[in-house]
Amino acid sequence: MSLRNVYGIRLFYLERARNRFAVPLAVAAVLVYIYRSIEQQVNFEVAVDFTFYRSAAVSLANNLDPYQGFLAVCPRPGTSCGGFNGFYIYPPLLAELMRPLVGMSVIDGARLWTLADHVLLIVCIVVAYRTVGGWLSPAGRALLLAAAMVFLPLYENLYFMQVNMFLVVLLVVAAHYYVRQPGGVGAGVALAVASVLRVTPAPLGLTLARLPLGRRRVPAVLAMAATGVVLLGVLALLTPSTIEYLTVVLPRLSGSTPWVENLSVPAVLMRARELAPQLATPLLYLIPLLSVAFLGVTWWRSRGIEDARGRALVFAALLAAIPILSSVTEQHHLVAELLVFALLAPALRIGSRPWWLALAAYPLLWFGHDDGYNFLLTQSWDVSYWLALQMLVPVNLVGMILLWLACLEAIRRHRLSASRASPHAGGDA
């Protein structure tokens, strides 16, 4: 029997095993999520991050500057700004969304905020299902749900009462309109709101710019630009902090920060700069170059892809690149990677290169950086080198890069498959 036949038999049994255990696994994962959610409510504690958001809303309600504390520790651009952590650094839109909670007690507002996170997660699941669910087998959908329900960054969002679920629901809506309604207007509107909420989704506008020129590309880009301008104009009327954020706060945030919880490539370069100050200038120039390189490679790989499945992969690849390049990426931000997995899943075939890359990425994204430190510290051998490496290059960053590579490889295979099916198919019009 040939090796190909042996490999085919192994894949056949893997597929049967997946179909047999996928649904019970998904049910168990959902039960774990429900149990942990109830446990959080029973032993409810207000997260520190929520108090920062609420304090910013209180400042706006009293005509005070919500960025005063941050600017005190980060007086100018180009500094490491170690005070990112512990101060309000989001755009004013989040503080405006928090205003209805100002009249409530802190604990009641936090409970309502947490309940909103659960509702938004359900919305995300439903919209993601409507986007790619038809391309997945029942077992594939069950495994994707199971992976989402036990994903550590999801629980970090819930326990730290972060804003990321509001962001992810906007991203999944944008992905849905981009994939299923390629006119792009709905995607442009959703991406504009997401960018005003947290800025980092702005590079996803590249997905709209690669639509065919004319009646599809122009309305999509205009929708994103017009929505962003209108929303910023409304915010500027509501609070002068909007102008301050764009002109004073944002330039200071662009410099990244070297703290070990920051998982992105800019953070790695900032930590390297702390270790080797003589490399400070070259490393600072390297940050924008790497950003252009990651986005440029993704753009180049996505050329000539216009069908719905291909657009899903393009959106996934650009979304996977964002946390790698962001000035601040903490583990709770990685909850958006669940959308990357969802958009990528229909292109994964057991045993393929994208499948292996995605499979390796998942536990590395799940793995907490504190877990790595604690594991190394329990070892009897000399761990100083490995501790330094873990602090410089977090395991999670390796997972982010592997997931991005999985998307690029899936795009390459999709383009090759499409070219074989239609040898005369062209690129973007």
Side-chain angles (χ1 to χ4, degrees), residues 52-61 66-67 88 90-102 113 163 197 235 239 241:
F52 297 149
Y53 303 155
R54 188 178 182 278
S55 295
V58 171
S59 295
L60 290 184
Y67 301 110
Y88 184 75
Y90 286 91
L93 180 57
L94 172 58
E96 291 291 348
L97 292 175
M98 295 286 291
R99 279 216 198 194
L101 304 182
V102 171
W113 184 261
V163 67
L197 181 63
L235 284 172
T239 169
S241 298

mmCIF file of all heavy atoms in Angstrom, residues 52-61 66-67 88 90-102 113 163 197 235 239 241:
data_model
loop_
_atom_site.group_PDB
_atom_site.id
_atom_site.type_symbol
_atom_site.label_atom_id
_atom_site.label_comp_id
_atom_site.label_asym_id
_atom_site.label_seq_id
_atom_site.Cartn_x
_atom_site.Cartn_y
_atom_site.Cartn_z
ATOM 1 N N PHE A 52 -11.760 52.622 35.070
ATOM 2 C CA PHE A 52 -11.110 53.637 34.236
ATOM 3 C C PHE A 52 -12.089 54.168 33.188
ATOM 4 O O PHE A 52 -12.169 55.375 32.941
ATOM 5 C CB PHE A 52 -9.874 53.062 33.543
ATOM 6 C CG PHE A 52 -8.802 52.618 34.488
ATOM 7 C CD1 PHE A 52 -7.969 51.557 34.170
ATOM 8 C CD2 PHE A 52 -8.607 53.261 35.699
ATOM 9 C CE1 PHE A 52 -6.973 51.148 35.038
ATOM 10 C CE2 PHE A 52 -7.613 52.861 36.582
ATOM 11 C CZ PHE A 52 -6.792 51.798 36.245
ATOM 12 N N TYR A 53 -12.820 53.252 32.546
ATOM 13 C CA TYR A 53 -13.791 53.672 31.538
ATOM 14 C C TYR A 53 -14.857 54.567 32.168
ATOM 15 O O TYR A 53 -15.233 55.607 31.618
ATOM 16 C CB TYR A 53 -14.477 52.465 30.899
ATOM 17 C CG TYR A 53 -13.561 51.454 30.267
ATOM 18 C CD1 TYR A 53 -13.964 50.132 30.117
ATOM 19 C CD2 TYR A 53 -12.292 51.804 29.803
ATOM 20 C CE1 TYR A 53 -13.140 49.195 29.528
ATOM 21 C CE2 TYR A 53 -11.464 50.869 29.216
ATOM 22 C CZ TYR A 53 -11.891 49.564 29.085
ATOM 23 O OH TYR A 53 -11.074 48.633 28.500
ATOM 24 N N ARG A 54 -15.350 54.115 33.309
ATOM 25 C CA ARG A 54 -16.425 54.869 33.964
ATOM 26 C C ARG A 54 -15.925 56.230 34.435
ATOM 27 O O ARG A 54 -16.656 57.233 34.332
ATOM 28 C CB ARG A 54 -16.978 54.071 35.149
ATOM 29 C CG ARG A 54 -18.216 54.679 35.786
ATOM 30 C CD ARG A 54 -18.732 53.814 36.930
ATOM 31 N NE ARG A 54 -19.940 54.377 37.508
ATOM 32 C CZ ARG A 54 -19.968 55.353 38.407
ATOM 33 N NH1 ARG A 54 -18.824 55.894 38.806
ATOM 34 N NH2 ARG A 54 -21.124 55.807 38.881
ATOM 35 N N SER A 55 -14.696 56.279 34.924
ATOM 36 C CA SER A 55 -14.134 57.558 35.354
ATOM 37 C C SER A 55 -14.028 58.534 34.190
ATOM 38 O O SER A 55 -14.255 59.744 34.352
ATOM 39 C CB SER A 55 -12.751 57.348 35.980
ATOM 40 O OG SER A 55 -12.845 56.597 37.161
ATOM 41 N N ALA A 56 -13.698 58.015 32.996
ATOM 42 C CA ALA A 56 -13.642 58.872 31.812
ATOM 43 C C ALA A 56 -15.028 59.416 31.484
ATOM 44 O O ALA A 56 -15.177 60.595 31.121
ATOM 45 C CB ALA A 56 -13.088 58.096 30.623
ATOM 46 N N ALA A 57 -16.058 58.563 31.614
ATOM 47 C CA ALA A 57 -17.428 59.028 31.381
ATOM 48 C C ALA A 57 -17.834 60.078 32.403
ATOM 49 O O ALA A 57 -18.505 61.070 32.061
ATOM 50 C CB ALA A 57 -18.389 57.841 31.421
ATOM 51 N N VAL A 58 -17.427 59.886 33.645
ATOM 52 C CA VAL A 58 -17.721 60.878 34.689
ATOM 53 C C VAL A 58 -17.024 62.195 34.369
ATOM 54 O O VAL A 58 -17.602 63.282 34.541
ATOM 55 C CB VAL A 58 -17.284 60.348 36.074
ATOM 56 C CG1 VAL A 58 -17.377 61.452 37.122
ATOM 57 C CG2 VAL A 58 -18.138 59.153 36.483
ATOM 58 N N SER A 59 -15.792 62.131 33.882
ATOM 59 C CA SER A 59 -15.058 63.347 33.518
ATOM 60 C C SER A 59 -15.781 64.106 32.416
ATOM 61 O O SER A 59 -15.921 65.334 32.471
ATOM 62 C CB SER A 59 -13.637 62.990 33.072
ATOM 63 O OG SER A 59 -12.894 62.438 34.135
ATOM 64 N N LEU A 60 -16.246 63.372 31.393
ATOM 65 C CA LEU A 60 -16.976 64.040 30.320
ATOM 66 C C LEU A 60 -18.261 64.668 30.837
ATOM 67 O O LEU A 60 -18.620 65.780 30.431
ATOM 68 C CB LEU A 60 -17.293 63.037 29.201
ATOM 69 C CG LEU A 60 -16.116 62.524 28.368
ATOM 70 C CD1 LEU A 60 -16.623 61.629 27.251
ATOM 71 C CD2 LEU A 60 -15.299 63.672 27.792
ATOM 72 N N ALA A 61 -18.957 63.962 31.724
ATOM 73 C CA ALA A 61 -20.215 64.491 32.259
ATOM 74 C C ALA A 61 -19.984 65.763 33.075
ATOM 75 O O ALA A 61 -20.887 66.603 33.178
ATOM 76 C CB ALA A 61 -20.896 63.432 33.120
ATOM 77 N N PRO A 66 -10.649 63.688 30.326
ATOM 78 C CA PRO A 66 -10.419 62.291 30.719
ATOM 79 C C PRO A 66 -8.994 61.822 30.481
ATOM 80 O O PRO A 66 -8.606 60.756 30.961
ATOM 81 C CB PRO A 66 -11.400 61.520 29.828
ATOM 82 C CG PRO A 66 -11.576 62.388 28.625
ATOM 83 C CD PRO A 66 -11.491 63.801 29.122
ATOM 84 N N TYR A 67 -8.195 62.600 29.736
ATOM 85 C CA TYR A 67 -6.834 62.182 29.398
ATOM 86 C C TYR A 67 -5.773 62.848 30.272
ATOM 87 O O TYR A 67 -4.577 62.692 30.019
ATOM 88 C CB TYR A 67 -6.549 62.503 27.921
ATOM 89 C CG TYR A 67 -7.512 61.829 26.976
ATOM 90 C CD1 TYR A 67 -8.453 62.578 26.280
ATOM 91 C CD2 TYR A 67 -7.493 60.461 26.797
ATOM 92 C CE1 TYR A 67 -9.346 61.970 25.420
ATOM 93 C CE2 TYR A 67 -8.385 59.836 25.943
ATOM 94 C CZ TYR A 67 -9.311 60.600 25.254
ATOM 95 O OH TYR A 67 -10.198 59.989 24.403
ATOM 96 N N TYR A 88 -7.010 56.142 31.090
ATOM 97 C CA TYR A 88 -7.920 56.068 29.953
ATOM 98 C C TYR A 88 -7.186 56.534 28.695
ATOM 99 O O TYR A 88 -6.716 57.673 28.625
ATOM 100 C CB TYR A 88 -9.144 56.958 30.194
ATOM 101 C CG TYR A 88 -10.168 56.854 29.092
ATOM 102 C CD1 TYR A 88 -10.992 55.736 28.992
ATOM 103 C CD2 TYR A 88 -10.301 57.861 28.144
ATOM 104 C CE1 TYR A 88 -11.916 55.622 27.975
ATOM 105 C CE2 TYR A 88 -11.226 57.761 27.129
ATOM 106 C CZ TYR A 88 -12.037 56.636 27.044
ATOM 107 O OH TYR A 88 -12.949 56.533 26.023
ATOM 108 N N TYR A 90 -8.467 55.348 25.382
ATOM 109 C CA TYR A 90 -9.322 55.090 24.235
ATOM 110 C C TYR A 90 -9.882 56.406 23.692
ATOM 111 O O TYR A 90 -9.879 57.430 24.381
ATOM 112 C CB TYR A 90 -10.468 54.166 24.625
ATOM 113 C CG TYR A 90 -10.047 52.729 24.832
ATOM 114 C CD1 TYR A 90 -9.660 52.268 26.091
ATOM 115 C CD2 TYR A 90 -10.031 51.833 23.776
ATOM 116 C CE1 TYR A 90 -9.266 50.962 26.282
ATOM 117 C CE2 TYR A 90 -9.646 50.519 23.958
ATOM 118 C CZ TYR A 90 -9.266 50.085 25.205
ATOM 119 O OH TYR A 90 -8.873 48.788 25.392
ATOM 120 N N PRO A 91 -10.416 56.401 22.460
ATOM 121 C CA PRO A 91 -11.099 57.586 21.947
ATOM 122 C C PRO A 91 -12.307 57.944 22.813
ATOM 123 O O PRO A 91 -12.807 57.105 23.582
ATOM 124 C CB PRO A 91 -11.526 57.157 20.531
ATOM 125 C CG PRO A 91 -10.578 56.070 20.158
ATOM 126 C CD PRO A 91 -10.296 55.343 21.435
ATOM 127 N N PRO A 92 -12.813 59.171 22.685
ATOM 128 C CA PRO A 92 -13.940 59.601 23.526
ATOM 129 C C PRO A 92 -15.221 58.807 23.302
ATOM 130 O O PRO A 92 -16.108 58.831 24.153
ATOM 131 C CB PRO A 92 -14.138 61.073 23.119
ATOM 132 C CG PRO A 92 -12.840 61.490 22.537
ATOM 133 C CD PRO A 92 -12.278 60.270 21.875
ATOM 134 N N LEU A 93 -15.335 58.093 22.157
ATOM 135 C CA LEU A 93 -16.565 57.356 21.871
ATOM 136 C C LEU A 93 -16.880 56.348 22.966
ATOM 137 O O LEU A 93 -18.045 56.187 23.363
ATOM 138 C CB LEU A 93 -16.455 56.650 20.513
ATOM 139 C CG LEU A 93 -17.668 55.826 20.078
ATOM 140 C CD1 LEU A 93 -18.928 56.678 20.033
ATOM 141 C CD2 LEU A 93 -17.418 55.153 18.730
ATOM 142 N N LEU A 94 -15.867 55.653 23.479
ATOM 143 C CA LEU A 94 -16.110 54.679 24.545
ATOM 144 C C LEU A 94 -16.649 55.366 25.790
ATOM 145 O O LEU A 94 -17.601 54.879 26.418
ATOM 146 C CB LEU A 94 -14.826 53.917 24.869
ATOM 147 C CG LEU A 94 -14.881 52.991 26.089
ATOM 148 C CD1 LEU A 94 -15.975 51.944 25.941
ATOM 149 C CD2 LEU A 94 -13.525 52.338 26.329
ATOM 150 N N ALA A 95 -16.050 56.490 26.152
ATOM 151 C CA ALA A 95 -16.526 57.217 27.328
ATOM 152 C C ALA A 95 -17.956 57.705 27.123
ATOM 153 O O ALA A 95 -18.764 57.705 28.059
ATOM 154 C CB ALA A 95 -15.605 58.397 27.618
ATOM 155 N N GLU A 96 -18.298 58.093 25.902
ATOM 156 C CA GLU A 96 -19.671 58.509 25.609
ATOM 157 C C GLU A 96 -20.634 57.330 25.757
ATOM 158 O O GLU A 96 -21.751 57.482 26.260
ATOM 159 C CB GLU A 96 -19.764 59.092 24.196
ATOM 160 C CG GLU A 96 -19.070 60.431 24.020
ATOM 161 C CD GLU A 96 -19.768 61.564 24.752
ATOM 162 O OE1 GLU A 96 -20.909 61.366 25.220
ATOM 163 O OE2 GLU A 96 -19.171 62.643 24.883
ATOM 164 N N LEU A 97 -20.203 56.143 25.312
ATOM 165 C CA LEU A 97 -21.045 54.950 25.462
ATOM 166 C C LEU A 97 -21.270 54.599 26.932
ATOM 167 O O LEU A 97 -22.294 54.008 27.286
ATOM 168 C CB LEU A 97 -20.399 53.757 24.746
ATOM 169 C CG LEU A 97 -20.329 53.814 23.218
ATOM 170 C CD1 LEU A 97 -19.566 52.622 22.676
ATOM 171 C CD2 LEU A 97 -21.734 53.863 22.618
ATOM 172 N N MET A 98 -20.313 54.978 27.778
ATOM 173 C CA MET A 98 -20.412 54.669 29.198
ATOM 174 C C MET A 98 -21.281 55.669 29.958
ATOM 175 O O MET A 98 -21.630 55.432 31.110
ATOM 176 C CB MET A 98 -19.015 54.657 29.827
ATOM 177 C CG MET A 98 -18.096 53.571 29.332
ATOM 178 S SD MET A 98 -18.543 51.957 29.973
ATOM 179 C CE MET A 98 -18.133 52.160 31.694
ATOM 180 N N ARG A 99 -21.644 56.786 29.333
ATOM 181 C CA ARG A 99 -22.369 57.834 30.062
ATOM 182 C C ARG A 99 -23.658 57.345 30.720
ATOM 183 O O ARG A 99 -23.964 57.749 31.844
ATOM 184 C CB ARG A 99 -22.679 58.995 29.114
ATOM 185 C CG ARG A 99 -21.507 59.929 28.912
ATOM 186 C CD ARG A 99 -22.008 61.354 28.795
ATOM 187 N NE ARG A 99 -21.022 62.242 28.200
ATOM 188 C CZ ARG A 99 -21.116 63.553 28.227
ATOM 189 N NH1 ARG A 99 -22.158 64.124 28.798
ATOM 190 N NH2 ARG A 99 -20.185 64.304 27.675
ATOM 191 N N PRO A 100 -24.458 56.481 30.066
ATOM 192 C CA PRO A 100 -25.679 56.023 30.745
ATOM 193 C C PRO A 100 -25.414 55.285 32.051
ATOM 194 O O PRO A 100 -26.309 55.179 32.894
ATOM 195 C CB PRO A 100 -26.332 55.099 29.704
ATOM 196 C CG PRO A 100 -25.808 55.557 28.395
ATOM 197 C CD PRO A 100 -24.404 56.003 28.667
ATOM 198 N N LEU A 101 -24.204 54.759 32.227
ATOM 199 C CA LEU A 101 -23.881 54.015 33.440
ATOM 200 C C LEU A 101 -23.442 54.914 34.581
ATOM 201 O O LEU A 101 -23.307 54.454 35.715
ATOM 202 C CB LEU A 101 -22.769 52.991 33.150
ATOM 203 C CG LEU A 101 -23.042 51.979 32.027
ATOM 204 C CD1 LEU A 101 -21.876 51.020 31.898
ATOM 205 C CD2 LEU A 101 -24.340 51.226 32.275
ATOM 206 N N VAL A 102 -23.174 56.185 34.284
ATOM 207 C CA VAL A 102 -22.689 57.104 35.312
ATOM 208 C C VAL A 102 -23.713 57.292 36.419
ATOM 209 O O VAL A 102 -23.370 57.413 37.599
ATOM 210 C CB VAL A 102 -22.308 58.459 34.676
ATOM 211 C CG1 VAL A 102 -22.011 59.501 35.758
ATOM 212 C CG2 VAL A 102 -21.099 58.287 33.767
ATOM 213 N N TRP A 113 -22.711 46.075 32.192
ATOM 214 C CA TRP A 113 -21.660 46.025 31.180
ATOM 215 C C TRP A 113 -21.283 44.570 30.858
ATOM 216 O O TRP A 113 -21.117 44.202 29.686
ATOM 217 C CB TRP A 113 -20.444 46.785 31.699
ATOM 218 C CG TRP A 113 -19.290 46.917 30.753
ATOM 219 C CD1 TRP A 113 -18.160 46.159 30.724
ATOM 220 C CD2 TRP A 113 -19.142 47.883 29.711
ATOM 221 N NE1 TRP A 113 -17.316 46.583 29.741
ATOM 222 C CE2 TRP A 113 -17.890 47.648 29.096
ATOM 223 C CE3 TRP A 113 -19.935 48.923 29.238
ATOM 224 C CZ2 TRP A 113 -17.425 48.410 28.024
ATOM 225 C CZ3 TRP A 113 -19.458 49.696 28.174
ATOM 226 C CH2 TRP A 113 -18.225 49.433 27.586
ATOM 227 N N VAL A 163 -13.580 46.463 26.553
ATOM 228 C CA VAL A 163 -14.447 47.006 25.503
ATOM 229 C C VAL A 163 -14.385 46.164 24.231
ATOM 230 O O VAL A 163 -15.109 46.414 23.279
ATOM 231 C CB VAL A 163 -14.042 48.465 25.181
ATOM 232 C CG1 VAL A 163 -12.658 48.509 24.540
ATOM 233 C CG2 VAL A 163 -15.055 49.146 24.290
ATOM 234 N N LEU A 197 -13.918 53.862 17.466
ATOM 235 C CA LEU A 197 -13.971 53.301 18.812
ATOM 236 C C LEU A 197 -12.588 52.944 19.330
ATOM 237 O O LEU A 197 -12.270 53.138 20.502
ATOM 238 C CB LEU A 197 -14.875 52.067 18.834
ATOM 239 C CG LEU A 197 -15.061 51.366 20.174
ATOM 240 C CD1 LEU A 197 -15.751 52.290 21.177
ATOM 241 C CD2 LEU A 197 -15.866 50.076 20.004
ATOM 242 N N LEU A 235 -18.829 63.719 17.778
ATOM 243 C CA LEU A 235 -18.069 63.618 19.029
ATOM 244 C C LEU A 235 -17.403 64.947 19.380
ATOM 245 O O LEU A 235 -17.338 65.332 20.546
ATOM 246 C CB LEU A 235 -17.006 62.523 18.910
ATOM 247 C CG LEU A 235 -17.494 61.080 19.009
ATOM 248 C CD1 LEU A 235 -16.362 60.118 18.687
ATOM 249 C CD2 LEU A 235 -18.058 60.791 20.401
ATOM 250 N N THR A 239 -17.886 66.732 22.894
ATOM 251 C CA THR A 239 -16.775 66.911 23.815
ATOM 252 C C THR A 239 -15.543 67.412 23.080
ATOM 253 O O THR A 239 -15.161 66.849 22.043
ATOM 254 C CB THR A 239 -16.420 65.600 24.543
ATOM 255 O OG1 THR A 239 -15.183 65.772 25.234
ATOM 256 C CG2 THR A 239 -16.280 64.446 23.578
ATOM 257 N N SER A 241 -12.659 66.860 23.923
ATOM 258 C CA SER A 241 -11.611 65.850 24.095
ATOM 259 C C SER A 241 -11.335 65.093 22.806
ATOM 260 O O SER A 241 -10.277 64.464 22.669
ATOM 261 C CB SER A 241 -12.010 64.857 25.193
ATOM 262 O OG SER A 241 -12.143 65.517 26.439
#
